[in-house]
Amino acid sequence: MIVKIEYTSKIPKSLLNKGTGFLSGYSHSLNPYTGCSFACSYCYVRQMPVSTFRGAEWGTWVDVKQEAAALLKKELLRAKAKGPVTIFMSSSTDPYQPVEYKEQITRSLLQVMVEHPPDFLLVQTRSPLVRRDIDLLQALGDKVRVSMTVETDREDVRKQFAPHSPPIPARLQTLRLLAEAGIPSQAAIAPILPSSHQFPETLRPLVNRVCIDDYFMGDGSNGKRTKRLGLQSLYQMVGQEEWYHPAAYLRVYDNMKRLFSEDELFISQKGFEP
Ligand code: SF4
């Protein structure tokens, strides 16, 4: 099904937000867009004010933050003068969602950060488009880590839970390209969706860092936001209810332990820290 997305240009008043809650390890979070056309069924932002007060369904609208680079430069220089700057990009949008192909807002922000490097930048995405910016990510050296969401290795499951998000093989291929380019990367299995026994075999050649997170630990409300989304019934509908459980992450963790050492595996917030 093709969903019509409404795009609006906005000129933001500010870009760098204070890192709080789940992101308290960061001085700032940075969202190049408001809204996200990947429209994942499990997205915790659906339950946040930015979505609930919008009056339109999450995933059907995106605000494009115009003139963002100049504003970031100003805010970044001010923040750097005050102390260490660690940035999480992004907490409530995907910086490499489809509109970024044309708008290049994220790319323009990276260009600013190459000129004025923060102490650390985490790029959180599930989009293969991040490969377009390998040149800039390389320029940031060890000050950057790309966290690629690979919530399952099963395309059939991805299509059930996040049909508008990028295919899993494209994400894996992107992790391969990032590794070849020497860019620090991790696979983020978040949230926990049903996956196959062979998942560790798929990830092992691509990353040496895997972060595992679920709704109960990682939605910023101990699973309450996710509960309101009614996700349990989606797991039931596809006959996978046993994966919607506070202990399901251990099933993935134990499976990963076959091929990853404990210091390569991170649980919840730890895996996203600078
Ligand atoms: S990509 Fe991230 S921000 Fe976008 S809908 Fe999916 S979970 Fe939400």
Side-chain angles (χ1 to χ4, degrees):
M1 190 181 60
I2 295 174
V3 179
K4 193 173 171 331
I5 315 287
E6 195 179 317
Y7 293 101
T8 311
S9 286
K10 295 251 166 99
I11 297 183
K13 289 197 177 64
S14 66
L15 274 172
L16 287 177
N17 290 313
K18 194 172 165 3
T20 54
F22 194 80
L23 299 181
S24 53
Y26 285 85
S27 66
H28 298 90
S29 66
L30 174 58
N31 291 287
Y33 300 93
T34 312
C36 183
S37 62
F38 284 152
C40 309
S41 64
Y42 50 70
C43 181
Y44 67 87
V45 188
R46 287 175 180 272
Q47 287 294 324
M48 295 176 77
V50 63
S51 169
T52 52
F53 289 134
R54 183 74 179 208
E57 199 186 333
W58 180 252
T60 65
W61 56 270
V62 177
D63 293 346
V64 180
K65 297 186 182 177
Q66 300 293 355
E67 300 175 23
L71 180 57
L72 178 65
K73 183 175 172 182
K74 219 165 75 187
E75 292 187 353
L76 191 52
L77 289 175
R78 205 183 303 145
K80 277 165 68 93
K82 287 187 189 156
V85 176
T86 50
I87 299 177
F88 188 99
M89 179 173 83
S90 299
S91 54
S92 50
T93 189
D94 192 308
Y96 288 103
Q97 60 182 297
V99 67
E100 169 64 15
Y101 278 96
K102 173 170 155 265
E103 295 290 347
Q104 304 204 12
I105 307 294
T106 300
R107 184 165 174 85
S108 74
L109 299 180
L110 280 179
Q111 280 163 337
V112 171
M113 288 189 267
V114 167
E115 248 181 83
H116 307 283
D119 294 274
F120 181 76
L121 167 70
L122 187 124
V123 178
Q124 175 58 54
T125 184
R126 62 199 69 211
S127 169
L129 178 56
V130 65
R131 65 177 73 177
R132 181 200 63 195
D133 292 345
I134 276 179
D135 56 335
L136 298 174
L137 296 167
Q138 275 175 326
L140 283 165
D142 62 2
K143 290 185 188 304
V144 72
R145 185 189 313 138
V146 175
S147 177
M148 173 67 72
T149 299
V150 191
E151 65 276 56
T152 174
D153 58 339
R154 288 178 47 185
E155 255 306 88
D156 60 324
V157 170
R158 197 273 305 163
K159 285 179 185 162
Q160 284 165 332
F161 285 83
H164 305 295
S165 73
I168 300 296
R171 304 188 206 179
L172 297 172
Q173 172 63 6
T174 304
L175 277 174
R176 187 180 310 281
L177 292 176
L178 292 170
E180 285 167 7
I183 293 162
S185 314
Q186 70 177 21
I189 306 174
I192 303 289
L193 298 186
S195 57
S196 75
H197 186 68
Q198 294 307 306
F199 201 0
E201 278 75 5
T202 301
L203 290 182
R204 183 66 275 188
L206 308 177
V207 286
N208 53 19
R209 200 182 147 100
V210 176
C211 171
I212 300 169
D213 199 8
D214 69 5
Y215 309 116
F216 307 96
M217 300 180 282
D219 78 346
S221 67
N222 297 323
K224 287 196 203 84
R225 279 189 191 121
T226 310
K227 199 163 182 194
R228 286 199 295 270
L229 285 177
L231 273 178
Q232 191 165 8
S233 57
L234 182 52
Y235 280 74
Q236 275 165 350
M237 223 160 66
V238 298
Q240 302 281 2
E241 201 187 349
E242 77 273 16
W243 287 90
Y244 186 84
H245 191 277
Y249 81 93
L250 286 171
R251 187 166 166 178
V252 179
Y253 184 80
D254 289 342
N255 193 21
M256 289 292 152
K257 262 199 333 204
R258 291 191 295 108
L259 295 185
F260 288 87
S261 65
E262 282 187 17
D263 59 1
E264 293 175 311
L265 296 173
F266 296 82
I267 303 289
S268 194
Q269 198 170 356
K270 280 259 166 289
F272 295 99
E273 279 173 356

